[in-house]
C-alpha cells in the first residue's frame, strides 16, 4: 500500500465528471487500499478517485459517529439520493466542511440532512445505506467530487469570495498541484 498525492483545487481531474468503473480487479483493489491509507494519513473521512488523480466514479469513507459506530467502506459507481436542502443559511458552527483538495480551510455549507447511498463494493456486490447527519454530509461531499465539484463551488457567495482569495494567495487554481499526507507541510 502507498500514500498517494492528493490533487489540489485547479487540477482538471477535480473539475471534470468521472467515468464509471468498468472492472473490479486487483488493480482497482490496490487503488482502493491506497486510497484508504491516504485518507487515514491525511487524516480525512472520505476520499474520491479524482482527488488522487484517478477519474473514476468511486470513493472511500471512514467515519465514527457519536455512539462509536464505525462506518468504513468503498462506494463504486454510486448513486445518491438526498433530502432537499434548507433555504436557511449554513450554521458556521455545525455545518462547516473541509476538503483534502482545498487543504487547511473550512467553510459553512448547507447539505441535505438525509441520504440514501446505493453502490457496489469491492466484491461486486450492490449495497444500500440510509443515513443522516455527518455520514450523509460525507456521502454528498464525496459524490460531488465524482461530478467534478468541490465543496467551495457550492458555498455561499460571501464565503466563495474568501475561498477564491485563499486560492489565489496560495497559488492554487492551476493544474498539477498536489500534496502528500505525511510528507508535505499542509494541514487539512
Amino acid at each position: 500500500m502507498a500514500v498517494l498525492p492528493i490533487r489540489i483545487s485547479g487540477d482538471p481531474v477535480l473539475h471534470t465528471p468521472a467515468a464509471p468503473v468498468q472492472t473490479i480487479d486487483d488493480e482497482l483493489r490496490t487503488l482502493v487500499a491506497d486510497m484508504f491509507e491516504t485518507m487515514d494519513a491525511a487524516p480525512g473521512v472520505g476520499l474520491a478517485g479524482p482527488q488522487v488523480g484517478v477519474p473514476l466514479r468511486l470513493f472511500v469513507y471512514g467515519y465514527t459517529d457519536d455512539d462509536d459506530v464505525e462506518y468504513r467502506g468503498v462506494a463504486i459507481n454510486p448513486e445518491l439520493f438526498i433530502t432537499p436542502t434548507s433555504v436557511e443559511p449554513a450554521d458556521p458552527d455545525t455545518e462547516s466542511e473541509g476538503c483534502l483538495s482545498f487543504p487547511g480551510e473550512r467553510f459553512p455549507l448547507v447539505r441535505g440532512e438525509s441520504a440514501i447511498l446505493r453502490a457496489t463494493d469491492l466484491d461486486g456486490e450492490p449495497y444500500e445505506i440510509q443515513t443522516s447527519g455527518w455520514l450523509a454530509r460525507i456521502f454528498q461531499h464525496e459524490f460531488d467530487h465524482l461530478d467534478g465539484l468541490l465543496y467551495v463551488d457550492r458555498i455561499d457567495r460571501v464565503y466563495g469570495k474568501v475561498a477564491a482569495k485563499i486560492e489565489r494567495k496560495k497559488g492554487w487554481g492551476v493544474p498539477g498541484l498536489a500534496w502528500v499526507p505525511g510528507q508535505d507541510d499542509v494541514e487539512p
Side-chain angles (χ1 to χ4, degrees), residues 19-25 28 56-57 76-77:
V21 172
Q22 298 297 324
T23 306
I24 298 173
D25 56 14
L28 187 72
L56 293 175
R57 295 190 74 79
I76 299 170
N77 295 331

Side-chain angles (χ1 to χ4, degrees), residues 5-154:
I6 298 174
R7 304 296 174 94
I8 293 176
S9 180
D11 195 292
V13 73
L14 294 171
H15 306 285
T16 305
V21 172
Q22 298 297 324
T23 306
I24 298 173
D25 56 14
D26 287 343
E27 185 177 340
L28 187 72
R29 286 181 186 89
T30 298
L31 171 64
V32 168
D34 290 346
M35 288 174 65
F36 274 118
E37 187 169 337
T38 303
M39 178 186 73
D40 293 341
V45 294
L47 187 67
Q51 291 182 275
V52 294
V54 179
L56 293 175
R57 295 190 74 79
L58 77 145
F59 64 82
V60 297
Y61 57 91
Y63 170 71
T64 303
D65 68 15
D66 292 336
D67 297 323
D68 288 330
V69 176
E70 183 179 9
Y71 299 91
R72 190 168 177 88
V74 59
I76 299 170
N77 295 331
E79 296 178 283
L80 190 66
F81 306 92
I82 60 172
T83 56
T85 59
S86 171
V87 295
E88 296 298 316
D91 182 331
D93 294 326
T94 61
E95 295 179 294
S96 288
E97 290 183 22
C99 181
L100 298 176
S101 292
F102 204 90
E105 306 300 328
R106 293 185 68 79
F107 294 101
L109 176 62
V110 175
R111 295 276 193 186
E113 175 58 28
S114 299
I116 299 171
L117 173 71
R118 291 184 184 146
T120 301
D121 65 18
L122 276 177
D123 294 322
E125 295 298 321
Y127 71 91
E128 178 177 295
I129 297 175
Q130 296 183 33
T131 190
S132 60
W134 275 102
L135 188 57
R137 179 177 290 273
I138 292 165
F139 289 163
Q140 291 169 72
H141 181 108
E142 298 310 324
F143 191 85
D144 274 353
H145 280 298
L146 306 183
D147 288 337
L149 294 171
L150 297 180
Y151 87 109
V152 292
D153 297 327
R154 293 191 177 274

